[in-house]
Amino acid sequence: MSAFRMSVTKSEEVIFDYSEIVPDSSSLFTRQRLLDAIDTVHKTLGNLVTISFASKAFSKKEAVVFTFNEGMLEQYMENRAERAFLRRTIFNTGFLGHISDSVCMELERVGRYIFRSFLQDAKKSGISMDIQHELLKLARFVYTYSLKKLGLALPANKHLLAAPKQASAYLSTIVYHETLEQMAKYAHRAASIKSLLDRDHFHKNISEKALAREVNYLEVDQHIEPIRVKLKQADFIHNVLNNWCEEWLISRVKTVTEEVEGIRKKTRDNKRTASEFITDLRNDTYDKLDKLMTLIRKFGNHAVPPSSQNSSLTKTKATIQSYFAIQKERLDMLAVSSS
């Protein structure tokens, strides 16, 4: 009741007349039961709210005061707005079904993970605020776009509405595919900027035309500093997204293999299921990377040498191939040990 009243009154201090809780001496909810309830609240939720008694100045009536932690109202309003955004985004895709709070909470956890993990490397490295803002915008785009894809998929996957964990796993996979695509875009952007940066004579000519005089290479170096900053930004964001994708894959595979190892009676069916999951995940990732590399070769910046166009994605694929090979060998050893 007090949490609801806090949201209505927009105040983190909520006051109830004592008579609202204990109407009279004949009430089933006695003063002692109120004291016991307050004690329980303090033990379980003392980090969020404190409850005390007070006397109203003019009426002299006793009151019960709930004092919530500073900032809780703002946090509540932010969470409420985020949930409204989630439901509205999916609704706008044409899906008119109800999405329960339990499913929303799981989907929001995916969103929070995207924002937190995208920014953790930036904060650790003390990178510029411009790059942090770019990562924030990118996190919001990936989350929003993935919610839209989820909304389009829900009519054919209504079982997800009754399975919060499965719904979040489904959204997480969509996020992974979208992050892979954004990673490829930033890799190509970095390659394009580097290709431009490496054209020394080109920059010298532009600088001389801009200044209407001959310039030395120190002046050219100063002239191209903004391009160098753009390259640093594209490189950093590409690395953040690449690391995120690798960590997501490792986390998914680790979960499956640990489940298999944790089953005391290891059956061949368990091994086959895990092996099939990892194979599907591997093939799905390879297929996505191959399509992205084909698109870059076809529509990418032709100023970038062919040997450099997909060098970053090729390295990523090689790393993933090595990882999957190790995991397959690990599952094969488990199968041998349980046979």
Side-chain angles (χ1 to χ4, degrees):
M1 286 172 63
S2 67
F4 177 77
R5 188 170 291 186
M6 173 182 68
S7 69
V8 172
T9 61
K10 303 293 187 291
S11 171
E12 287 163 350
E13 185 173 81
V14 177
I15 300 176
F16 285 90
D17 285 338
Y18 177 78
S19 60
E20 290 184 76
I21 303 174
V22 184
D24 52 53
S25 58
S26 62
S27 170
L28 291 174
F29 199 79
T30 63
R31 185 179 185 87
Q32 186 55 52
R33 289 187 67 188
L34 172 60
L35 293 173
D36 291 342
I38 290 173
D39 184 54
T40 301
V41 170
H42 281 160
K43 286 179 180 177
T44 57
L45 299 172
N47 60 321
L48 302 177
V49 61
T50 56
I51 307 172
S52 58
F53 290 94
S55 178
K56 291 190 173 180
F58 296 103
S59 65
K60 303 298 182 182
K61 288 183 178 179
E62 193 171 24
V64 184
V65 182
F66 293 75
T67 305
F68 291 90
N69 286 358
E70 185 178 355
M72 181 171 288
L73 178 60
E74 182 180 344
Q75 183 180 2
Y76 167 80
M77 293 174 69
E78 181 182 339
N79 289 343
R80 188 175 179 183
E82 195 61 45
R83 187 155 303 173
F85 167 81
L86 186 156
R87 285 183 167 132
R88 184 173 63 252
T89 301
I90 293 179
F91 176 82
N92 288 339
T93 66
F95 181 75
L96 306 180
H98 174 69
I99 303 174
S100 67
D101 282 341
S102 58
V103 172
C104 285
M105 288 172 64
E106 288 299 325
L107 299 180
E108 287 164 1
R109 284 193 180 97
V110 176
R112 285 195 294 272
Y113 173 68
I114 298 168
F115 281 89
R116 186 173 62 251
S117 55
F118 274 26
L119 281 173
Q120 65 184 4
D121 287 341
K123 290 180 178 178
K124 287 178 185 176
S125 60
I127 207 73
S128 72
M129 289 303 297
D130 286 344
I131 295 180
Q132 291 189 43
H133 288 153
E134 183 73 15
L135 282 166
L136 274 175
K137 288 193 295 182
L138 187 60
R140 173 58 70 182
F141 172 80
V142 168
Y143 179 53
T144 304
Y145 192 73
S146 299
L147 283 178
K148 290 178 181 178
K149 283 193 169 182
L150 175 65
L152 293 171
L154 278 176
N157 296 275
K158 289 184 178 178
H159 66 280
L160 296 175
L161 298 174
K165 294 291 184 184
Q166 288 184 36
S168 65
Y170 195 96
L171 177 63
S172 182
T173 302
I174 296 174
V175 168
Y176 168 64
H177 287 157
E178 182 55 33
T179 305
L180 261 182
E181 188 167 329
Q182 293 302 319
M183 183 266 288
K185 289 179 180 178
Y186 275 93
H188 183 63
R189 182 180 299 181
S192 298
I193 297 172
K194 188 176 185 308
S195 173
L196 174 63
L197 199 61
D198 290 341
R199 300 174 66 181
D200 295 334
H201 294 292
F202 174 76
H203 295 298
K204 189 172 187 299
N205 291 336
I206 289 180
S207 298
E208 287 177 345
K209 286 180 181 179
L211 299 173
R213 61 176 175 82
E214 286 192 12
V215 296
N216 57 40
Y217 280 100
L218 181 60
E219 290 175 302
V220 173
D221 192 63
Q222 294 171 345
H223 195 75
I224 62 176
E225 179 59 24
I227 303 176
R228 195 177 290 111
V229 170
K230 286 292 184 182
L231 175 60
K232 182 180 179 183
Q233 177 177 326
D235 259 336
F236 185 87
I237 294 176
H238 161 256
N239 288 330
V240 167
L241 300 182
N242 187 60
N243 291 340
W244 191 94
C245 290
E246 287 185 6
E247 288 171 9
W248 186 93
L249 271 180
I250 291 170
S251 175
R252 275 297 173 95
V253 174
K254 184 179 179 183
T255 301
V256 173
T257 52
E258 284 182 349
E259 285 177 358
V260 171
E261 290 175 332
I263 298 172
R264 290 181 181 178
K265 188 179 179 181
K266 302 180 178 69
T267 65
R268 288 188 176 182
D269 285 342
N270 292 133
K271 304 298 183 309
R272 191 181 302 114
T273 301
S275 181
E276 287 173 353
F277 173 84
I278 292 175
T279 299
D280 288 344
L281 186 59
R282 180 198 64 190
N283 293 343
D284 193 35
T285 299
Y286 289 176
D287 184 57
K288 183 72 174 178
L289 286 172
D290 287 340
K291 286 179 179 177
L292 289 170
M293 286 191 279
T294 299
L295 285 171
I296 289 173
R297 280 193 297 268
K298 189 173 181 180
F299 301 108
N301 186 352
H302 293 294
V304 179
S307 59
S308 302
Q309 277 188 339
N310 283 314
S311 60
S312 179
L313 293 185
T314 302
K315 289 177 184 176
T316 297
K317 187 174 179 180
T319 301
I320 292 172
Q321 284 175 327
S322 298
Y323 176 71
F324 277 120
I326 292 170
Q327 295 307 315
K328 186 178 184 304
E329 184 178 344
R330 184 180 177 187
L331 280 176
D332 290 343
M333 288 177 66
L334 281 172
V336 170
S337 65
S338 61
S339 60

